[in-house]
Amino acid sequence: MRAVVQKDKNGSRCGRLALGCGAAALASAALLSGCAGPAEVRPVQTRPAGTRPAPGGRGAPEQALILRARQAAEHARLVAAARRWGLNEVPLTPPPPPRVKPEIRARAGFEVKHQVDWDLPPVFTTIPTDQKIVFLTIDDGSEKDPRFLRMMQDLKIPYTAFLSNYLVKDDYGYFRTMQAEGHTLNNHTLHHPYLPSLSYEDQKAEICGMQEIMKKQFGRAPTVMRFPYGNYNQDSLRAAKACGIRYAPIWNEEVYVDHWEYREDDQKMRRGDIVLTHFRGRSEWDGTMVDDMRRFLNKVTREGYAVARLEDYL
């Protein structure tokens, strides 16, 4: 039996693939052959137990071929998954996390008095990076759609959830499943109030109270939170720091099931932008979370962006 492999134009993985009428055939072929191409893959040779290939022998090339075949099979699986969930293209794979984390500062104009000398958590909308990536964040926790979990797991799309207890307490298990699949759960306060209208002590109760819930229900108190509505004042940042929060990201774009909204006047995404959406369904939107994610993924992929994990850059 022979198998063949194909290197893409980058020489490392299959690149973007449009899901046209031939995608199903391509996916089937790729699963059998590791993507079409001219290079012949030799069958893996078995060796007596306890023996090792000689240095410089055929062991390393064989392992490389096995790895390439697995990568091709995974790409073919993603082709099938993208088609199954109605995407126009296979989502792009993000680069490895940076070895040195970028320096995160408060966005200009988003600082409060004593921001630096009191070492208050920065409020920011974009991660400094040269990579063409964006970060998906999802707020509140109202809708608990099992199809959304399956879609994101099928497509291997990372995201960060910011949870408010009054919306998630009826089904902590849904979010434990999310956490077990590698997604990070962060603080969005107990009751989602407009924080600047509250005293320092009341803000602290909202933030620290959610920290305690997070630790009890999910095993850890996070160091990242999002202020409800993106609104805060100096007391908000002081209270967040007192509760163990180090970062307070908000967003640069927001995606809905039927449209996008932008913070910047030019209505464009930028490298490292944080994108917001919500746990919402047909009771509040004209569509489902799957529809929302389809709109999000089709746009970012079409514009050449991969979705990276926010916490890998903090």
Side-chain angles (χ1 to χ4, degrees), residues 245-263:
I245 298 299
R246 296 178 56 200
Y247 301 99
I250 48 175
W251 60 91
N252 223 27
E253 292 86 31
E254 184 170 1
V255 59
Y256 295 83
V257 72
D258 57 355
H259 71 284
W260 282 68
E261 294 183 359
Y262 301 84
R263 189 177 299 274

Side-chain angles (χ1 to χ4, degrees), residues 104-171:
I104 306 296
R105 298 179 179 178
R107 175 170 168 157
F110 286 52
E111 312 96 330
V112 298
K113 189 176 181 180
H114 295 296
Q115 176 77 55
V116 176
D117 53 311
W118 289 359
D119 192 27
L120 298 176
V123 176
F124 53 100
T125 63
T126 303
I127 297 287
T129 179
D130 293 330
Q131 302 285 351
K132 202 168 183 183
I133 55 175
V134 294
F135 303 93
L136 175 62
T137 62
I138 313 178
D139 279 9
D140 300 349
S142 175
E143 182 74 7
K144 303 166 185 69
D145 184 350
R147 293 183 69 243
F148 163 78
L149 294 181
R150 291 197 297 272
M151 179 186 193
M152 303 305 268
Q153 187 69 359
D154 264 3
L155 295 168
K156 302 300 181 187
I157 303 299
Y159 58 91
T160 297
F162 290 89
L163 307 181
S164 290
N165 191 56
Y166 84 107
L167 291 173
V168 304
K169 63 183 181 181
D170 62 332
D171 191 359

Side-chain angles (χ1 to χ4, degrees), residues 118-281:
W118 289 359
D119 192 27
L120 298 176
V123 176
F124 53 100
T125 63
T126 303
I127 297 287
T129 179
D130 293 330
Q131 302 285 351
K132 202 168 183 183
I133 55 175
V134 294
F135 303 93
L136 175 62
T137 62
I138 313 178
D139 279 9
D140 300 349
S142 175
E143 182 74 7
K144 303 166 185 69
D145 184 350
R147 293 183 69 243
F148 163 78
L149 294 181
R150 291 197 297 272
M151 179 186 193
M152 303 305 268
Q153 187 69 359
D154 264 3
L155 295 168
K156 302 300 181 187
I157 303 299
Y159 58 91
T160 297
F162 290 89
L163 307 181
S164 290
N165 191 56
Y166 84 107
L167 291 173
V168 304
K169 63 183 181 181
D170 62 332
D171 191 359
Y172 291 125
Y174 179 84
F175 299 96
R176 291 192 193 104
T177 298
M178 189 179 294
Q179 183 182 43
E181 292 174 348
H183 308 290
T184 306
L185 310 181
N186 286 323
N187 190 326
H188 201 41
T189 71
L190 288 172
H191 303 100
H192 203 277
Y194 177 72
L195 287 174
S197 69
L198 304 181
S199 68
Y200 169 79
E201 291 300 331
D202 286 344
Q203 293 195 53
K204 186 177 177 182
E206 278 286 336
I207 299 169
C208 286
M210 191 58 191
Q211 291 289 84
E212 293 172 6
I213 293 291
M214 299 290 287
K215 185 173 183 179
K216 179 179 179 181
Q217 297 297 332
F218 307 115
R220 60 178 291 273
T223 59
V224 182
M225 79 162 292
R226 174 169 285 157
F227 298 121
Y229 313 107
N231 294 124
Y232 59 95
N233 58 17
Q234 186 190 66
D235 282 348
S236 309
L237 294 177
R238 288 176 56 225
K241 180 179 179 180
C243 297
I245 298 299
R246 296 178 56 200
Y247 301 99
I250 48 175
W251 60 91
N252 223 27
E253 292 86 31
E254 184 170 1
V255 59
Y256 295 83
V257 72
D258 57 355
H259 71 284
W260 282 68
E261 294 183 359
Y262 301 84
R263 189 177 299 274
E264 310 296 347
D265 291 338
D266 61 6
Q267 306 282 287
K268 293 181 180 179
M269 282 190 297
R270 289 162 168 76
R271 296 170 189 259
D273 271 358
I274 298 168
V275 180
L276 164 67
T277 193
H278 290 80
F279 290 99
R280 297 286 187 268

